[in-house]
Amino acid sequence: MLKRTETIIISLLLVVALIFSACGKDTELTAEPKGTDIVASIGDETITYSLYKAAFESYYQYMEMLGNTISSEQELNEYQDMILEYLLMDMLAIYNAEQDGFVLSEETRAEAIAQAETELQDVYDAYMEYAESDYQEDPSKTVQEYFDEYISELSEYYVGEKLDFAGYSERYIDETIRSYVIEAYKESVCVSFDVSETDIVNWYAEINDSDRRAYSTNPEQFKFDQEYFEKYFGTSDEAYPVTYVPEGYSRIMDIVVYPSGTLSDEYKSKQSRMKAIYDEFSELAFEDALSGSSNNSELISSLIEEYRRLDQECRDMYDDYIRDARAKIDMAFEELENGADFADVMMRYSENDVVVGSETAAGCAAFQTKGQIISLEYECQLDWSDTVKEIFSMLAIGEYSRVFTDDDGSLHIIKYVSDIAPGDIPLDDIREAVTYFVKADSNEEKWDELMQVWLDDPNIVRNMPIVRYLGKDMISEN
């Protein structure tokens, strides 16, 4: 199955299971096949021309974005074969899953249906909006008639048949379930694939060499890489374990509380006026100093009085703005002063969802137990503010700060937890993560090997005249 893109049409690649009726003759077609014509089959599993065409055109658009085109018959045939093999691999996964008696769990099936229904609602909303727009321009048809035309064209392109939204939805749900079957079956097959200690050691050595070279020239990158791993390992294929630590890194725990709402326009207006007063005062004072006179003294006195009044008004307004946040973080500080564990207080008071979690997602376990990363030597991506770094620089390991206000108005208490030892991170310290990625790489290699065996199955029927029909106009255009 093609990956979904943000384009609605590309996201709706459907396949229809039909009885294979096309033969494998080598004759050249002179007219475009029907959408329901069969490109390839094995058993009851089929690839229709509509799916083949959708995959062909979608990927070719991607190629063109990269500046690639097809300019010869040989290149066209290679491209056709690539698209066909891509679709065959999905078909063969479904076929072999059925042969093995693999059944999707009810929980996963429900998840697939829920995803499909969510995406179908997006489709419905988008095309209904188009239909309503068309009706505004031309009311000769109803909104529903315009909508039905869109869905009919959409389904004919991807399915090979003109369907209403209910029929289209049924096919879409079926195809989504099939995609879940492919992934779940692949996962079940890969469980039996093993990795050796040699594979693990070699993978670690390769990554360690890469990390050493990278951080020797860009040590500031370590913070982002390590924190990304700690936040997303197990959920992102890009969250690789870091194997080497440059010098100059430490960890802090942070209790942060944010004021609710925003400062009023009146506050901002007063702040703007104070700045104007400051500028005017500076100009008048400089003028008097330069002339050795006090010609502007009365006006200067008036400006100072106005500034003091506005400053106090702004302080009062700001105190009102942060009152609840200040009360909350003062309670946290009081608990710390009474001997409470910093990590425990942080988990109960801090408002950083990445650390402590939220109703919808757990926080980062490493941040909760070890703290976040900070460095006074480097300016890092997603770095702490200068204010936080200045406060950190005054602390010793084990100490925590008093409440302070950060540059964005948030209130903080930070604790200096530890320094991160520079040098290699031992393999045993990250063995679980290393094994995870070695296993993932091994799974892909062995799955591809298994797929090559399946692609040689003599029961596969390929209708090459249909395969070769698509794209001939590309050659004539070039």
Side-chain angles (χ1 to χ4, degrees), residues 270-284 300 302-310:
K270 291 178 185 293
Q271 287 285 307
S272 178
R273 173 57 185 156
M274 288 169 65
K275 184 180 184 305
I277 291 173
Y278 181 86
D279 292 341
E280 186 178 358
F281 167 85
S282 299
E283 184 177 340
L284 293 172
I300 287 174
S302 174
L303 289 174
I304 291 174
E305 182 179 349
E306 182 184 3
Y307 188 95
R308 286 173 174 164
R309 177 178 57 80
L310 291 173

Side-chain angles (χ1 to χ4, degrees), residues 224-321:
F224 178 86
D225 292 345
Q226 180 64 25
E227 290 192 334
Y228 190 87
F229 165 68
E230 293 175 351
K231 287 187 289 186
Y232 301 116
F233 170 64
T235 61
S236 169
D237 292 339
E238 301 300 320
Y240 290 98
V242 176
T243 65
Y244 181 79
V245 182
E247 292 185 356
Y249 281 98
S250 304
R251 285 188 182 268
I252 62 172
M253 287 186 178
D254 174 38
I255 300 171
V256 57
V257 176
Y258 298 97
S260 59
T262 58
L263 288 163
S264 67
D265 290 340
E266 181 183 1
Y267 175 88
K268 296 173 184 177
S269 176
K270 291 178 185 293
Q271 287 285 307
S272 178
R273 173 57 185 156
M274 288 169 65
K275 184 180 184 305
I277 291 173
Y278 181 86
D279 292 341
E280 186 178 358
F281 167 85
S282 299
E283 184 177 340
L284 293 172
F286 182 77
E287 185 179 299
D288 278 2
L290 196 63
S291 65
S293 69
S294 57
N295 295 337
N296 297 315
S297 60
E298 186 175 342
L299 180 55
I300 287 174
S301 178
S302 174
L303 289 174
I304 291 174
E305 182 179 349
E306 182 184 3
Y307 188 95
R308 286 173 174 164
R309 177 178 57 80
L310 291 173
D311 182 55
Q312 186 58 53
E313 289 174 357
C314 284
R315 288 175 184 273
D316 292 342
M317 295 173 73
Y318 188 79
D319 287 344
D320 287 340
Y321 167 65

Side-chain angles (χ1 to χ4, degrees), residues 45 74 159 163 186 272 294 299 357 362 375 388 458:
E45 296 300 320
Q74 179 181 345
V159 178
L163 302 171
K186 177 182 177 181
S272 178
S294 57
L299 180 55
S375 175
V388 172

Side-chain angles (χ1 to χ4, degrees), residues 24-182:
K25 292 185 292 185
D26 233 2
T27 56
E28 184 175 340
L29 299 182
T30 57
E32 183 171 22
K34 294 183 296 183
T36 54
D37 285 348
I38 305 304
V39 173
S41 71
I42 184 170
D44 292 333
E45 296 300 320
T46 61
I47 298 170
T48 60
Y49 177 71
S50 59
L51 179 61
Y52 171 65
K53 181 179 180 180
F56 185 104
E57 294 180 345
S58 173
Y59 192 75
Y60 192 71
Q61 289 178 358
Y62 173 71
M63 284 180 54
E64 288 184 315
M65 286 174 56
L66 299 178
N68 300 321
T69 58
I70 293 173
S71 58
S72 69
E73 185 173 355
Q74 179 181 345
E75 289 179 356
L76 174 60
N77 289 346
E78 290 172 353
Y79 179 74
Q80 292 165 335
D81 292 342
M82 181 191 72
I83 297 299
L84 176 60
E85 182 172 300
Y86 185 76
L87 297 174
L88 281 172
M89 289 191 290
D90 275 358
M91 181 183 73
L92 288 167
I94 291 288
Y95 173 76
N96 282 279
E98 293 172 349
Q99 295 297 108
D100 289 346
F102 178 83
V103 178
L104 202 62
S105 71
E106 287 302 317
E107 180 181 359
T108 306
R109 181 182 177 85
E111 182 183 339
I113 293 172
Q115 176 185 323
E117 289 176 343
T118 298
E119 292 170 355
L120 283 166
Q121 185 62 52
D122 291 340
V123 174
Y124 179 89
D125 293 343
Y127 282 102
M128 185 56 73
E129 184 177 338
Y130 297 154
E132 290 170 349
S133 176
D134 290 345
Y135 176 75
Q136 293 297 322
E137 295 181 7
D138 180 7
S140 63
K141 299 178 186 177
T142 66
V143 171
Q144 188 63 46
E145 286 174 332
Y146 279 118
F147 177 80
D148 290 343
E149 287 179 359
Y150 277 120
I151 299 303
S152 178
E153 292 174 5
L154 193 66
S155 63
E156 185 175 25
Y157 181 73
Y158 287 106
V159 178
E161 298 180 50
K162 294 183 176 181
L163 302 171
D164 60 14
F165 189 72
Y168 181 78
S169 297
E170 182 179 348
R171 299 290 183 86
Y172 189 88
I173 291 172
D174 287 345
E175 179 61 15
T176 303
I177 292 172
R178 286 166 63 87
S179 71
Y180 270 71
V181 169
I182 292 170

Side-chain angles (χ1 to χ4, degrees), residues 181-455:
V181 169
I182 292 170
E183 290 304 314
Y185 176 63
K186 177 182 177 181
E187 185 176 337
S188 72
V189 170
C190 290
V191 166
S192 62
F193 298 159
D194 294 324
V195 295
S196 68
E197 178 66 14
T198 299
D199 292 334
I200 293 172
V201 170
N202 289 343
W203 191 95
Y204 171 86
E206 180 180 348
I207 298 299
N208 180 250
D209 179 65
S210 174
D211 286 347
R212 279 175 165 272
R213 286 186 283 106
Y215 299 143
S216 67
T217 55
N218 297 293
E220 71 280 358
Q221 183 64 29
F222 167 78
K223 178 182 185 296
F224 178 86
D225 292 345
Q226 180 64 25
E227 290 192 334
Y228 190 87
F229 165 68
E230 293 175 351
K231 287 187 289 186
Y232 301 116
F233 170 64
T235 61
S236 169
D237 292 339
E238 301 300 320
Y240 290 98
V242 176
T243 65
Y244 181 79
V245 182
E247 292 185 356
Y249 281 98
S250 304
R251 285 188 182 268
I252 62 172
M253 287 186 178
D254 174 38
I255 300 171
V256 57
V257 176
Y258 298 97
S260 59
T262 58
L263 288 163
S264 67
D265 290 340
E266 181 183 1
Y267 175 88
K268 296 173 184 177
S269 176
K270 291 178 185 293
Q271 287 285 307
S272 178
R273 173 57 185 156
M274 288 169 65
K275 184 180 184 305
I277 291 173
Y278 181 86
D279 292 341
E280 186 178 358
F281 167 85
S282 299
E283 184 177 340
L284 293 172
F286 182 77
E287 185 179 299
D288 278 2
L290 196 63
S291 65
S293 69
S294 57
N295 295 337
N296 297 315
S297 60
E298 186 175 342
L299 180 55
I300 287 174
S301 178
S302 174
L303 289 174
I304 291 174
E305 182 179 349
E306 182 184 3
Y307 188 95
R308 286 173 174 164
R309 177 178 57 80
L310 291 173
D311 182 55
Q312 186 58 53
E313 289 174 357
C314 284
R315 288 175 184 273
D316 292 342
M317 295 173 73
Y318 188 79
D319 287 344
D320 287 340
Y321 167 65
I322 68 166
R323 178 172 287 108
D324 292 343
R326 182 76 201 197
K328 181 177 180 179
I329 202 164
D330 283 346
M331 289 174 61
F333 186 79
E334 183 178 356
E335 289 194 27
L336 294 173
E337 290 290 88
N338 290 331
D341 178 70
F342 195 97
D344 177 64
V345 175
M346 177 181 71
M347 291 299 294
R348 289 186 287 109
Y349 283 93
S350 186
E351 296 177 357
N352 184 343
D353 290 346
V354 173
V355 177
V356 303
S358 64
E359 293 181 358
T360 57
C364 176
F367 293 173
Q368 295 169 8
T369 57
K370 297 190 293 185
Q372 297 168 264
I373 297 173
I374 190 169
S375 175
L376 296 178
E377 296 186 25
Y378 314 115
E379 292 184 6
C380 305
Q381 191 174 355
L382 302 179
D383 208 355
W384 297 95
S385 68
D386 290 343
T387 298
V388 172
K389 288 189 174 187
E390 181 180 358
I391 298 296
F392 166 69
S393 71
M394 302 176 186
L395 300 174
I397 291 178
E399 292 181 344
Y400 58 85
S401 70
R402 303 192 68 82
V403 176
F404 66 92
T405 303
D406 200 1
D407 301 349
D408 63 355
S410 57
L411 302 174
H412 294 256
I413 308 168
I414 62 171
K415 178 182 178 180
Y416 186 170
V417 178
S418 66
D419 292 327
I420 305 177
D424 293 336
I425 298 176
L427 171 58
D428 285 343
D429 288 0
I430 52 174
R431 178 173 290 275
E432 178 187 357
V434 172
T435 302
Y436 173 89
F437 282 100
V438 174
K439 181 73 162 64
D441 291 346
S442 176
N443 286 350
E444 288 300 320
E445 292 175 4
K446 293 177 180 178
W447 177 257
D448 288 344
E449 291 172 3
L450 181 59
M451 191 61 71
Q452 292 306 312
V453 174
W454 289 346
L455 284 167

